[in-house]
Amino acid sequence: MKITMLGTGAALPDPDRAQSSILVTLENGKNYLFDCGEGSTRQMVKANINPADVPWVFLSHLHYDHVCGLPFFVLSSWVFNREGKLKVFGPKGTQDFVDHSFENGAFRVDIQARAAYPARQKNIEAVRPEVFEVEPGLMYEDEDVKIYIDVVDHIPTEITDCFGIRMEAEGKVVAFSGDTAPCESMIRLAQDADLLIHECTFPESFLKHRAESGVGTFAHTSPLQLGEIARKANVKSLVATHFGHYDSTSPVIKRAAGNHLPVDLMGPERLDEVARDIRKSYKGDLRLATDLMRIDL
């Protein structure tokens, strides 16, 4: 299988990183999309993947940097002549998000206008995603894959669930954290995985700043904690992702981040700190994600 890191950034619009999105492509050509942040569709096209050839989307949670690219993906797939409905799997609230996005929501006028053309009317089902609001356990299964989820520690569950994901296919296991603080459920999902793709939103130095300033939440995983998770789960390979712009040199990003990040510490050298801290516990194969990074298993 091939894993393409479509987007490896976090919430701010980053000139160097799209928002969270991962595409898994099997040897038989089937495509499975995990999260759909801003820039996901453009990155698919850059990776030579037709958005209309991606039939399934699995959302880890409903923070905007993980889902705001979904309407663009759906509408683009329609224009790219998708046949039939996209299947969208996600936590409670996913149906409401989809209902407010398309024919009865934000893009109602656009869809009405384009549907006047016979070619678009012919595949109108493409803008009517079929939604499955899921719970922990086996989320999806077909003849090629099994996908399991469990609740992880990010958004309070009274608002919505946040899921970590385990995908089994072609004799391999790929686990994806979504966004989470360290938790036992993620270690279980990642146990003995061939590849763990895990968020690493802020380095230790930034977490210290955020704690002292009173700005930050503690619903993310630090590099030191990530090394421990990968070691405990006995994963063969680790990809750290969802970087919170701490490696950015963009003046715009620095101005926007000034109230919650130590701007004077921002820069590419922070990635060296991240790798060093992960390595204090985890000695296996390690990569720090970049957009359009390709991983073959």
Side-chain angles (χ1 to χ4, degrees):
M1 72 176 70
K2 174 179 71 174
I3 297 97
T4 306
M5 302 296 296
L6 299 177
T8 61
L12 296 181
D14 193 314
D16 300 307
R17 297 182 186 272
Q19 292 179 339
S20 182
S21 189
I22 300 164
L23 186 70
V24 177
T25 305
L26 302 187
E27 291 293 329
N28 61 12
K30 282 187 177 180
N31 295 301
Y32 300 81
L33 182 64
F34 297 89
D35 281 349
C36 196
E38 190 279 327
S40 303
T41 305
R42 176 173 51 85
Q43 298 289 69
M44 279 182 229
V45 175
K46 289 178 73 173
N48 199 32
I49 299 292
N50 184 337
D53 293 336
V54 181
W56 304 278
V57 179
F58 304 91
L59 303 177
S60 66
H61 66 295
L62 298 178
H63 268 153
Y64 84 90
D65 53 318
H66 294 254
V67 301
C68 71
L70 184 66
F72 186 77
F73 171 63
V74 170
L75 293 165
S76 299
S77 299
W78 184 35
V79 174
F80 274 51
N81 297 315
R82 176 189 296 280
E83 295 182 2
K85 294 175 182 273
L86 175 72
K87 290 181 170 59
V88 180
F89 298 78
K92 60 188 178 183
T94 302
Q95 184 70 65
D96 185 61
F97 174 64
V98 169
D99 287 345
H100 283 82
S101 295
F102 302 111
E103 288 175 284
N104 297 314
F107 290 97
R108 175 178 55 83
V109 171
D110 180 279
I111 292 169
Q112 286 180 342
R114 295 182 196 278
Y117 294 94
R120 294 287 71 81
Q121 186 61 46
K122 182 179 178 182
N123 72 327
I124 190 68
E125 291 295 299
V127 292
R128 297 169 179 168
E130 185 176 6
V131 175
F132 302 84
E133 293 192 348
V134 292
E135 296 181 350
L138 181 63
M139 173 170 62
Y140 176 79
E141 180 179 14
D142 63 27
E143 64 273 16
D144 297 298
V145 306
K146 289 183 178 181
I147 301 176
Y148 299 88
I149 57 172
D150 204 350
V151 175
V152 293
D153 184 9
H154 187 51
I155 301 175
T157 54
E158 60 267 25
I159 299 175
T160 184
D161 289 332
C162 300
F163 294 128
I165 299 169
R166 177 184 178 95
M167 179 180 188
E168 299 177 358
E170 298 179 340
K172 302 291 185 180
V173 174
V174 178
F176 170 49
S177 69
D179 284 1
T180 186
C183 57
E184 290 300 317
S185 56
M186 195 60 231
I187 294 173
R188 290 193 300 270
L189 287 168
Q191 196 65 45
D192 299 321
D194 295 278
L195 176 67
L196 170 60
I197 302 168
H198 201 291
E199 72 120 283
C200 192
T201 307
F202 299 114
E204 307 298 333
S205 54
F206 280 45
L207 287 171
K208 182 175 184 295
H209 173 92
R210 289 167 67 85
E212 291 173 352
S213 68
V215 170
T217 66
F218 297 92
H220 289 290
T221 299
S222 76
L224 285 175
Q225 293 168 330
L226 179 52
E228 284 289 329
I229 290 167
R231 181 186 61 81
K232 290 177 181 178
N234 191 38
V235 302
K236 296 181 177 67
S237 185
L238 173 64
V239 172
T241 190
H242 196 266
F243 298 136
H245 318 291
Y246 48 78
D247 60 331
S248 181
T249 59
S250 165
V252 176
I253 292 286
K254 288 185 174 183
R255 285 196 295 271
N259 67 335
H260 68 280
L261 295 180
V263 174
D264 57 320
L265 297 180
M266 291 174 67
E269 64 275 15
R270 290 282 72 76
L271 294 173
D272 293 332
E273 175 190 337
V274 167
R276 284 195 302 269
D277 283 343
I278 292 172
R279 283 285 183 220
K280 289 176 182 177
S281 297
Y282 177 69
K283 307 304 181 185
D285 180 57
L286 171 64
R287 279 168 277 196
L288 305 187
T290 56
D291 279 18
L292 298 177
M293 173 188 285
R294 170 178 174 152
I295 304 157
D296 289 277
L297 292 180

